[in-house]
Amino acid sequence: MDDSTKRLLQRLIRRIPAQTLRTTLEKWGRLTAAQQRSMDFTQPKWALSEKLLAICEENGLTAKHITELEMTNVIDNPNQGMWYAFQLMDPEDDANSIELTQFKEQFKSHLRELVRPVSIKIKKHTDEAVWIRIAWGDSFSRPNHLKPTYVVHHLQTPYVFVTSLTSKQKPLLSQALVLSARYQAIKDANLSGRKLTAIRDLLMRKYQQVFPTMYPSPLGERNQVVSNPHIEKEQAEPAANRLQMACEAFGDGTLPQLQTVVYKLETKFRDHTNKTMTEREEPFSCVVKFASTNLLESLRHCASSGIASTPVTPLLSSILQKGRNYFVITDNGSGPSTQTRQPQT
Amino acid sequence: MALLKPFSKLPCLNTANILLVESEEQFQQSLADTLVEETAFTVNVRLAKSLPLPMENEESRPRIDLVVFIINLTSELSFQSAEVSLKNLDPGYFLGKVCFMVTNARNASVPTERLDAVRKLAASLHCPMLFAEDQTPDGVTNATERLLTILKVAAGFVPMATALYLSNLTRRTAPPDIEQPSFD
Amino acid sequence: DRENTIYITLISPGSGDRQNNGSSAVTSRSINIRVNLNFLLCVSNCEYMNMFKNQIHTVMSAFPPVVEAGTPVHGNDEVERHLVLVEKVAYSKGLPPEAISVMLEFAMSLRMGTVLCARVLRCLIPATVVPQEAVVRAVVWLGVGKIPMSTQVLFIKWVLTMFDMIDGKDQLRAIYGFIFSFVTEENLCPFICHLLYLLTRKESGKSFSHLRYGPFIQRFPQFYSYSLFLVFSSLLQALLTGRQPFLMHLLSLYKVLCPELVTLSIPSRMRWVRNHNSTWKSTLIGVQKRNGSQAASSIGLAFTIKDKASSRKRKHTHLQLPALSSVVNKQPQSEPSSSRKLVPLVQLHSFAQLLENMHHIELPAQMGSLLGSSLALQYLDFVQDESALLRLNFWLGYALYEEFLFCGDGGGFQNSDEALQFLNKLLSTENFLQGGFTSSEAFLYKFLTVWDGSLLRPQILALLSNIPVVPSSQIGRLLFEPLMQLFFTSSVFFKCGLVECLNSMLLKWLTWHSVYALEDDLDISLKSYTSINMTLSGFKDSVMDLVHFVGQLASVGLQLEGCHSLLLSFTLDFYETVCDMFLKYGLPLVVMPPPGVFYPTLFATDPISVDRLAYIMYRYKVNLASAKSQEKLTEAFHISSQTFHEFNHYVVVMVNSLWNSRMFKPDMDLKLSEELLLKSSVPQHWTSFDLIHHPAFMSYAIDFHQKVTFLHQKSYDADILTSIKLTPQSGPKERFGDVTTFPSFFRLATCLLQKHP
Amino acid sequence: MAGASATGVLSQLSLLEVKARSRKTQPQQQSRVKELKAKVEALRAQRDQLKAEIETHKHLQKLRASLDKQSTNEEEEEEEMEQDSEHSQLLQLMARHTQLEDLLYAHHTIGGYDVIKTRQGKGVCVSLATAYDGVFLETYNLEIDLKPTLRISRHNVPPFIPLNSLAEQNNLQTNIRTFLDTLSRHLNAFAARKQQLELVKELHKSVQVMESNVLCSILVLMFNVPKQKTAVLCTLDYSDHTRSLPTRVHFESEDEKLPDSPEWKKNCSLLKETPVHKALITMKKMGNIV
């Protein structure tokens, strides 16, 4: 077991949260029950990693197995690092009928053609998600397991989620994906976040949307609070309307946790008092960035509590409808225009 | 938009009506719940986010004896919305039937300018300005008691005292600066 | 040139450790020199040097394991492991002194970059004490100027937090000038000022009278030349753009120590800066709790309840304190001026000890802890040590503002009993010193304007009653306006409370007056470093304002509350104080109650109130009479005929309504129209408020009548009541069956029978 | 000490205040009674109103009956309608209204869609309900802008249903109707497949679901043949996404001749014709699988 592998393991142990370390190791299943029992998880990380190293030596485990451990860890808590969404464009006819095995070998072969050496691991997770781990190497160096790229793809859906991908590797990956998933093109979906589940749910529309219906809406019923006959809300129905509007724009119930939304304005500066700026030819460009632990929740609250005006401006509502959190706003196309952005920025 | 008028409606027997205006709609609820517990007379509470009030429940609305603007000092917005709402009150109300209730005055994140601005506003309108501790239950009950004290007078339950009389006693002349009272 | 060399020797510890462990840390550093302040450095340096000659070897011996400069931090499990270990120990049971000095040295020398520096600082929790040398060395490292500003601030905060646990202050004082030189860093300035504030101390006792600046040296042993201090103060004043509170506070301390230098006029009451909540407090307390030793005094300036608690405990447990006492007792080296032993107050626990050490007592940095111990208070009370009081005020003001005006969480915890305890302790202290602190006074003025009237009401009102006399020019704005608003919008209980509070305030003012009246100059603000001189007339004005104010409150309050009997009784309490101002407290001032108080009392339904009114009127009578006689003897003062007139009028009304039943007669000043009275169809309405028919006395009258009928063996008949004629001529005895029922009436009656003025 | 005593008095006062408050909240009772009385009144009024409504409803029923008759056979019998003129007219209208409502409902049940206006008529919101044998499954919504051209602004149709391509194929602009029909067929088929899969997992513990995908377009099952313990791998391929039945069924097993055996041929056709969970039940009955 060379010391690059050792370093890998140490780093990995340091990264796995202490409380889940035990279960992760169990999932990994490379340790005998005795070895499992012999580990004392109350010890500090460095001690644990020492211990684990010894065991791995003993079992003669290699980098391959360590990467397995890493993969289980990443699958269990995917909310580390930035995830970027990509969208596959114009599918072939048989795009819908592709199934896992053939996708697997297709992808591997395609990527191997493009770059070698490269180490690829593909694993099917329970919820129809295909997890791909790629450790890149190039003609001079062996695959670098210290900074692998992770790709998550749901077959039959046009979406791919990628983390820690350099701009150099991007075209390679894109091509392999396009070919093996039977599409013709791939584009950046302009959606990124720390929580994989969040951006996935957002694109897969796995959150509770609200539509105007002729039947009594659950919203109204939920806000029926039994109150004293002597207390009367003057602006009850405006409030209800605001809530309805907000929920139509941002969905109901718990929302996917986005952290940021970025608007890149490349519009003309309009302010009659400020001549010099207004008369400039080149567009006045600035970046507006909203940040929060759960951005959509906060936006919804803003709208429902009347801090933000309703109906919600398309600039905000299109975060969910277009499923993106990066917009470039130009003068000609009113509202958010579609432009792509380098993932690594 | 219709101005809210103090004397457009007849009062009803042994009832006082109070209107709580707060842009955040937080404190007003707890206040209302404690206000209606008053047993000596019936208290009707109307809650509003801002003025003007909607036309549709114009006739269902009783005569409002006291209008309370609740301002949370930690938010500029709450102050501004109160300022805007004030314009929709009939001048008659400013004869003692309006008061300000300020929360979070002791919070570290409150800029002194804002507090002074509120003070100036209250002083310029000759309205009393009450401070309240909305965090603690005791604070809420106490705030309620004080509102009731004013409301009683405003609704005419106290013999030989009118709202104007009381507000003359309780209003601030000018915002003071206590920072450095120099004695010489 | 000279400065430079000196400066370089200043960082000699760095070079020293180079020789020791060959780390190239020092050489690589650029030495930047603050030109404008170099001479400060050179002055403070000499002592600094010989101090180091003494200790350099000890420090060297305890040096950290050799760490190459610029060793990578990331992914370095070696360091990681050590740090984890250190942190574990630190957070569980705190670090021993030598460990502290090692780690501090390690951190500040930036051997492994700035990241670790901050981290290490965070976990520097001392178990017992912080060795002074370590701190000094660290301060010197600051001078090297490699450390990022945030970390520098963090360090100074650390020093402030641990100040009381540093085992000696002499060497720190030795580099006073060096520390001072950081004042120019505007990020550091507030904290540096705070540190200086704690370091600057007035030395009592031995004087170098032969020296030119003897008295000065006395105060600032750590400075060589008077000019140096001149530089300090002038520099501060120069730095003072606007009124940065921290600079102001330091300056005010200087002003006290040598007034002739600080030309600036320091306002008596200053705003307070927001405090830095230090990160170590809670853990430190935790550690101390676990160790069971209260070695540390209360931590940090910001008053949080926990360290209050610990400081209170300290009072009791300081007897068994090997660590601190031994440390402090060790002869401070290399400080010529303070060669004699200083005894920290905390080590005294008997009055005798206090007496014999009176001249060399070292006050704790944490002045707040004085509040607890009566011994300390006696000391304060005895030696009018202005600087001590100043510091106490400083601390107190800080605490009050932090806890009650700049609450982080919007004042979540108000009603928690810690706040209660604190205020109660403060109250008892003020009662002990028999006067309010200026800081608490200033605090109250601010607090009243944002008070909701219920928060900690008893304490606040009690504190309020302690404030010294306010000049009548200010009293309206500072006191009456906020109080008035609170009074009229609050419940009757608050009203009563306020009246009670104002009553005791008046009492204290008067008592104070009766004590100091003889002295020519009336120093109002007791024991406070800003003395406001006030003339007798000024005092009279304030009192008059107060009395009138309460009169107004009471009369309107009674009206709004429908003559609530509780409020009435509190009001009468107040007037019982007022009516005796002249005789009891020798204040030549008589103020009559307003009609709004007089009439409700006169027509009250309970006998006690009416009785007390009578007593009050009686006392007025006595006071006025003696005042008149005084006036005859000396032209000292003069009571306006207006007052006499009011008094007479009230008496007439009383007599008319109670005795000769002339109610509603034209000469009375409350009139009802005839037909209205007829309509009421009350028989002989004019009698309806005489002693018999007065609602308050009806029961007594009937009782009396029954006694009479029993005596006369007669069957009850109604006109006996009416047949008892009331005439002023007939003496009191036959007018009242049982005089003891209305003692004060008897008194009033007797005094009325002599012709009144 | 004066201060101390003052605190005493003051704290006593606040205690009193607390007492007073508690006493004030006690006599809630009779006011509560009043409240209840008021409630009773309100309920009575409500009851009377309901009674009245029932009356009118009965009346309406009669009218409805007559109306329906009219719509079937045109000859009129107006005579009993003539009394109480405008009241009956009103009733007439109401009756008509209910009739139309019913028609609408009927239409919906035979495959119409709920459509309501949104944003003051600038758009409509269509909701398509999915169901599989008599069980209502989730409802999907489309919000469609009308101006300038028909455009789907918002929807909660899962991304693996090719909404846009459908919109193009049967051109949305001209005949939205067909578009909606195809879409609803897709959705219903998808819902049906999903439901079937659920049922298989739930009903047949012995059968192992080897593979499936989000679209449920591929289903690989494994089951055992009872006597000779051979495992059979069965692949169901729903390549036509508008149908809930597989287009291709394929068996794999250790012994090559098993898939060609007559009863397994029968099974194959069975699986093609009947929903998989039912098919499996029958296969169990036949004793082909465990």
Side-chain angles (χ1 to χ4, degrees), chain D residues 163-200:
Chain D
L163 191 59
N164 300 334
S165 56
L166 285 181
E168 288 157 17
Q169 283 157 24
N170 30 52
N171 37 17
L172 177 64
Q173 304 306 333
T174 54
N175 54 355
I176 182 167
R177 179 77 207 201
T178 49
F179 161 69
L180 287 179
D181 290 343
T182 34
L183 179 60
S184 86
R185 251 189 283 112
H186 270 92
L187 287 173
N188 274 298
F190 164 65
R193 289 199 300 271
K194 199 150 161 236
Q195 188 70 0
Q196 286 177 24
L197 179 57
E198 292 304 316
L199 288 169
V200 168

Side-chain angles (χ1 to χ4, degrees), chain D:
Chain D
M1 199 170 288
S5 69
T7 340
V9 174
L10 295 170
S11 38
Q12 282 309 318
L13 274 172
S14 8
L15 282 184
L16 268 178
E17 179 160 27
V18 173
K19 280 218 194 73
R21 274 194 193 132
S22 56
R23 214 187 307 107
K24 204 168 74 178
T25 46
Q26 245 97 60
Q28 206 68 315
Q29 283 318 317
Q30 98 287 5
S31 68
R32 173 108 182 87
V33 169
K34 250 186 257 148
E35 249 173 56
L36 288 176
K37 284 220 177 79
K39 196 168 183 187
V40 168
E41 273 316 304
L43 288 175
R44 281 225 184 78
Q46 198 179 358
R47 184 197 57 194
D48 300 345
Q49 192 184 355
L50 286 174
K51 273 188 182 150
E53 276 178 11
I54 289 168
E55 273 315 302
T56 46
H57 194 72
K58 284 213 189 95
H59 215 98
L60 276 179
Q61 288 308 324
K62 269 214 240 89
L63 282 169
R64 271 300 303 285
S66 63
L67 273 175
D68 297 348
K69 257 201 250 90
Q70 282 170 27
S71 50
T72 49
N73 48 0
E74 294 309 317
E75 76 272 1
E76 322 256 320
E77 57 280 4
E78 283 294 312
E79 53 277 9
E80 87 276 11
M81 278 291 159
E82 277 319 308
Q83 72 270 25
D84 51 72
S85 58
E86 99 290 349
H87 182 58
S88 72
Q89 253 172 19
L90 183 68
L91 285 176
Q92 287 274 7
L93 286 178
M94 286 168 75
R96 185 87 189 116
H97 181 246
T98 53
Q99 189 182 27
L100 291 178
E101 264 183 350
D102 290 357
L103 284 178
L104 203 61
Y105 178 69
H107 165 256
H108 176 229
T109 43
I110 60 169
Y113 316 102
D114 295 342
V115 180
I116 62 167
K117 273 200 230 144
T118 59
R119 304 197 260 88
Q120 303 85 32
K122 281 204 253 12
V124 293
C125 178
V126 187
S127 69
L128 309 101
T130 59
Y132 178 68
D133 56 7
V135 184
F136 265 93
L137 303 170
E138 61 264 41
T139 320
Y140 296 97
N141 302 278
L142 297 173
E143 218 173 291
I144 302 176
D145 296 350
L146 300 176
K147 308 260 165 9
T149 62
L150 290 186
R151 190 176 64 82
I152 300 173
S153 61
R154 195 158 81 91
H155 66 91
N156 58 352
V157 176
F160 41 80
I161 304 268
L163 191 59
N164 300 334
S165 56
L166 285 181
E168 288 157 17
Q169 283 157 24
N170 30 52
N171 37 17
L172 177 64
Q173 304 306 333
T174 54
N175 54 355
I176 182 167
R177 179 77 207 201
T178 49
F179 161 69
L180 287 179
D181 290 343
T182 34
L183 179 60
S184 86
R185 251 189 283 112
H186 270 92
L187 287 173
N188 274 298
F190 164 65
R193 289 199 300 271
K194 199 150 161 236
Q195 188 70 0
Q196 286 177 24
L197 179 57
E198 292 304 316
L199 288 169
V200 168
K201 280 181 183 158
E202 170 182 330
L203 296 177
H204 308 283
K205 297 280 183 283
S206 62
V207 177
Q208 219 172 344
V209 179
M210 301 305 287
E211 190 185 334
S212 68
N213 58 7
V214 277
L215 188 49
C216 302
S217 61
I218 288 177
L219 186 55
V220 180
L221 304 173
M222 186 166 80
F223 37 67
N224 295 326
V225 183
K227 285 170 263 5
Q228 67 276 36
K229 290 267 174 286
T230 50
V232 179
L233 207 62
C234 165
T235 312
L236 305 175
D237 184 355
Y238 305 80
S239 51
D240 178 357
H241 296 152
T242 61
R243 291 186 58 242
S244 64
L245 292 178
T247 50
R248 192 177 66 86
V249 178
H250 172 251
F251 295 114
E252 276 178 51
S253 166
E254 288 89 350
D255 57 349
E256 284 69 18
K257 52 195 161 332
L258 181 134
D260 311 331
S261 64
E263 74 264 25
W264 280 99
K265 282 253 174 8
K266 213 153 88 267
N267 289 338
C268 181
S269 50
L270 179 70
L271 280 164
K272 277 200 186 131
E273 281 133 23
T274 54
V276 54
H277 61 283
K278 293 197 179 125
L280 285 174
I281 290 173
T282 43
M283 282 165 74
K284 268 221 186 91
K285 283 220 191 71
M286 306 291 283
N288 294 330
I289 59 167
V290 177

Side-chain angles (χ1 to χ4, degrees), chain B residues 4-167:
Chain B
L4 188 61
K5 290 197 173 52
F7 302 117
S8 57
K9 293 211 171 93
L10 291 175
C12 36
L13 183 63
N14 199 26
T15 356
N17 308 310
I18 184 169
L19 171 65
L20 305 179
V21 184
E22 182 191 21
S23 68
E24 283 162 350
E25 293 176 308
Q26 308 255 325
F27 185 35
Q28 59 175 195
Q29 192 56 53
S30 49
L31 266 182
D33 294 340
T34 34
L35 272 168
V36 292
E37 280 170 8
E38 171 65 37
T39 47
F41 54 95
T42 329
V43 181
N44 289 323
V45 186
R46 313 286 286 198
L47 305 178
K49 185 177 177 59
S50 65
L51 302 184
L53 300 177
M55 288 302 274
E56 51 266 28
N57 39 24
E58 186 65 54
E59 63 284 341
S60 79
R61 184 183 310 132
R63 155 179 171 165
I64 301 292
D65 299 309
L66 181 64
V67 183
V68 183
F69 290 95
I70 300 169
I71 298 178
N72 174 3
L73 275 185
T74 48
S75 104
E76 181 70 34
L77 190 70
S78 125
F79 172 50
Q80 286 166 347
S81 89
E83 259 181 326
V84 173
S85 301
L86 277 165
K87 296 182 175 56
N88 302 294
L89 273 183
D90 183 273
Y93 265 108
F94 294 102
L95 303 175
K97 285 173 175 287
V98 178
C99 79
F100 292 89
M101 178 155 264
V102 177
T103 63
N104 282 325
R106 305 184 301 116
N107 194 321
S109 63
V110 173
T112 46
E113 302 74 35
R114 193 178 295 150
L115 180 52
D116 291 346
V118 180
R119 281 225 172 86
K120 280 202 186 59
L121 182 66
S124 65
L125 296 170
H126 301 294
C127 298
M129 173 177 173
L130 313 184
F131 291 83
E133 304 291 330
D134 58 340
Q135 316 274 337
T136 57
D138 297 11
V140 176
T141 28
N142 182 62
T144 316
E145 292 244 333
R146 295 179 74 186
L147 283 184
L148 281 174
T149 324
I150 302 176
L151 182 60
K152 263 191 231 151
V153 177
F157 293 163
V158 178
M160 304 195 301
T162 67
L164 186 56
Y165 178 46
L166 186 64
S167 79

